[in-house]
Amino acid sequence: MVTLQEIKSNAEIASYIRKADESLLALGFTEHSFAHVGRVSALARQILEWLGYDARTAELAAIAGWLHDIGNVVNRVDHAQSGAVMAFRILDKMGFAPEETATVITAIGNHDERTAFPVNPVAAALILADKTDVRANRVRNKDRTTFDIHDRVNYSVRRSEVRLGEGELLLVLEIDTAVCALMDYFEIFLDRMLLCRKAAEKLGVRFGLEINGQTMM
């Protein structure tokens, strides 16, 4: 079986991640490089381990997390679908079993909120790990006077934590409301939070959101 470590060590994959992030930087997007995919990979695996899934299924979630944004090297539009096609080629060449390849590319193809749906546990874990990665150091624009709403929302986050408790996955945020009003957060993240709720339900748990000590979902 191909392992996560082999995926991480693959020079071809590393190039796609790096070049995809370069494209997003040029477009003005927040960081989508190794820090992001590493965090998503680790949390997707942790979620399935927390729920008692077998080690290989959890590793497939980690692999999907590492690969999920490579489609941005083609275009931001429909990057989930192009990333799934790219991942199919890569995994097939590395000798992945068809069943496992199908699981990974299904998860990748269903992670973008415009077309996403938690069709299986790996997809659900990937959605939750990806959409909860909100943090100030993802903002690369150094000129605060030119921040767009995505910059403001991410830059305002002083603390971001995912807590895995008894039957609940809880996203805990501390936001500096002098930088970003709560309404701004919900303007761009409401669809993502509702998707997280669907993903959590697929896994048989509840999704919760707490901002500045207040329960929002």
Side-chain angles (χ1 to χ4, degrees):
M1 293 186 294
V2 178
T3 66
L4 174 63
Q5 189 54 50
E6 289 175 87
I7 295 291
K8 287 184 172 183
S9 300
N10 185 288
E12 178 183 357
I13 293 169
S15 294
Y16 293 148
I17 293 171
R18 185 170 58 253
K19 299 301 285 187
D21 188 54
E22 287 178 12
S23 295
L24 293 182
L25 174 61
L27 290 168
F29 282 85
T30 53
E31 180 268 324
H32 282 72
S33 191
F34 296 101
H36 172 62
V37 301
R39 182 182 175 110
V40 172
S41 175
L43 183 55
R45 172 181 238 157
Q46 184 183 0
I47 289 169
L48 293 191
E49 289 177 341
W50 164 58
L51 293 171
Y53 284 84
D54 64 273
R56 184 56 179 171
T57 301
E59 184 165 45
L60 292 180
I63 290 169
W66 191 260
L67 295 171
H68 79 282
D69 270 342
I70 59 174
N72 284 305
V73 77
V74 178
N75 198 294
R76 180 62 179 175
V77 177
D78 296 330
H79 75 280
Q81 287 73 35
S82 54
V85 174
M86 291 173 65
F88 168 78
R89 176 185 174 277
I90 293 166
L91 298 177
D92 185 57
K93 188 166 64 173
M94 293 180 74
F96 246 64
E99 187 77 16
E100 293 189 340
T101 299
T103 297
V104 171
I105 65 173
T106 297
I108 294 171
N110 280 279
H111 85 271
D112 183 64
E113 56 265 25
R114 290 174 299 175
T115 56
F117 195 83
V119 292
N120 59 40
V122 171
L126 174 57
I127 288 167
L128 287 162
D130 183 39
K131 305 314 172 191
T132 57
D133 187 17
V134 188
R135 48 192 165 85
N137 58 4
R138 292 192 71 186
V139 178
R140 296 184 285 199
N141 182 0
K142 305 304 180 186
D143 183 1
R144 291 181 58 180
T145 64
T146 63
F147 275 8
D148 64 11
I149 188 171
H150 291 85
D151 291 332
R152 289 200 307 276
V153 167
N154 281 277
Y155 191 77
S156 72
V157 176
R158 296 293 169 257
R159 184 170 69 93
S160 175
E161 178 185 357
V162 175
R163 296 178 185 171
L164 306 177
E166 187 64 35
E168 181 183 59
L169 186 150
L170 178 66
L171 174 61
V172 179
L173 299 176
E174 288 183 9
I175 291 177
D176 183 350
T177 54
V179 176
C180 166
L182 288 182
M183 188 59 68
D184 286 349
Y185 178 88
F186 280 103
E187 181 179 337
I188 65 169
F189 279 102
L190 181 58
D191 287 346
R192 299 181 195 185
M193 297 300 96
L194 293 175
L195 181 58
C196 284
R197 176 184 285 175
K198 288 181 182 178
E201 288 173 353
K202 176 68 176 181
L203 295 171
V205 296
R206 179 182 177 276
F207 175 75
L209 173 64
E210 179 184 299
I211 302 179
N212 294 352
Q214 300 296 313
T215 300
M216 312 302 290
M217 289 182 71

